[in-house]
Amino acid sequence: MDDDDVDLDFRNRIYNRALEEQNSNLWNFKRFYTAASFWSWIDVGSAVLTAIMGAILTYGLAWRTIPLWSMVSLSLLVGTISLAKANRKPGQRAEKLHDMGRSYQELHDEIKDFIELDLKDGNREKEWLRDRFEELAVKRHDLKSEAKLSGLWYRWLKWRREDEIYEEATTTDEERQYLDSEGFNDGRDKKF
């Protein structure tokens, strides 16, 4: 086995591991964005619902056309929504989840760049590639220890969006044609 075969075998192993990391980060940032959207809708929905109930209460107090028991019920419901919102803090939760999603997306993009720009470059040394891959793996480990998110979001994405999740993360041939009509071909159609 010569040095080129050993180098190609090493690059294949790093490539496969990098693809696994990239896929994992894709699912993670999609999960965090989905959870952030849910909590944003809860935040906005509860504010709108409280405003509508407040308007109904104001109307009932001004015109005395709404039965007293209805106004008391609406007042209790507004209080319950306010307490739940103060306890769960959906706006802050949505912001934190969105920030974590953005961090995972940035890492996803770094790994994608590592594969496309560094790993496929035959001039990069093995040690440099190994060190860079380890840096990216440490970043992912740090992100994973920082954020906890229920598996519910993964299952929902898997059920609801299945293969669509990959379609959103890739550039189609038609889009590539619009972005760069000349394309790129270095004459080495190597596959890893």
Side-chain angles (χ1 to χ4, degrees):
M1 192 179 251
D2 62 3
D3 288 341
D4 289 338
D5 290 340
V6 171
D7 188 51
L8 188 57
D9 182 52
F10 171 79
R11 287 176 185 277
N12 277 328
R13 284 184 285 133
I14 293 287
Y15 174 76
N16 289 327
R17 286 188 58 199
L19 278 182
E20 289 174 16
E21 291 286 326
Q22 184 181 8
N23 186 46
S24 177
N25 286 316
L26 173 68
W27 281 93
N28 279 325
F29 83 72
K30 294 288 185 169
R31 283 181 348 153
F32 276 94
Y33 285 157
T34 301
S37 294
F38 171 79
W39 285 107
S40 290
W41 278 105
I42 294 293
D43 189 38
V44 170
S46 62
V48 168
L49 188 59
T50 302
I52 289 171
M53 288 187 289
I56 293 170
L57 280 170
T58 303
Y59 175 81
L61 286 171
W63 299 105
R64 299 193 190 274
T65 56
I66 297 177
L68 184 61
W69 66 269
S70 296
M71 291 189 356
V72 169
S73 297
L74 282 175
S75 296
L76 291 173
L77 192 54
V78 166
T80 302
I81 291 172
S82 296
L83 283 174
K85 193 170 177 175
N87 184 28
R88 301 305 291 180
K89 297 177 175 62
Q92 289 178 0
R93 183 176 287 198
E95 190 175 319
K96 181 179 178 186
L97 291 170
H98 189 271
D99 288 346
M100 287 305 302
R102 187 173 42 249
S103 296
Y104 272 110
Q105 185 174 10
E106 288 170 2
L107 182 56
H108 172 271
D109 293 344
E110 282 184 59
I111 293 173
K112 183 177 181 177
D113 288 344
F114 168 72
I115 292 170
E116 292 298 321
L117 303 175
D118 298 324
L119 190 60
K120 291 183 179 180
D121 179 6
N123 298 325
R124 293 285 188 188
E125 295 177 6
K126 286 171 49 172
E127 291 77 23
W128 188 92
L129 290 172
R130 180 182 295 121
D131 291 344
R132 180 66 179 135
F133 181 77
E134 288 302 320
E135 287 174 22
L136 295 170
V138 166
K139 278 186 178 182
R140 180 170 183 264
H141 179 73
D142 291 345
L143 278 176
K144 219 174 171 184
S145 65
E146 186 178 324
K148 305 286 186 245
L149 190 62
S150 164
L152 163 77
W153 301 107
Y154 171 79
R155 288 189 295 277
W156 188 86
L157 276 174
K158 188 87 170 142
W159 170 74
R160 181 82 170 104
R161 305 192 50 202
E162 205 150 308
D163 290 337
E164 177 187 325
I165 197 168
Y166 295 105
E167 293 169 8
E168 295 174 4
T170 60
T171 305
T172 65
D173 289 336
E174 184 178 329
E175 291 167 332
R176 285 181 192 278
Q177 185 65 30
Y178 284 122
L179 294 171
D180 183 15
S181 59
E182 294 176 21
F184 176 78
N185 186 358
D186 65 354
R188 302 178 301 169
D189 292 323
K190 283 189 197 176
K191 296 261 182 182
F192 287 101

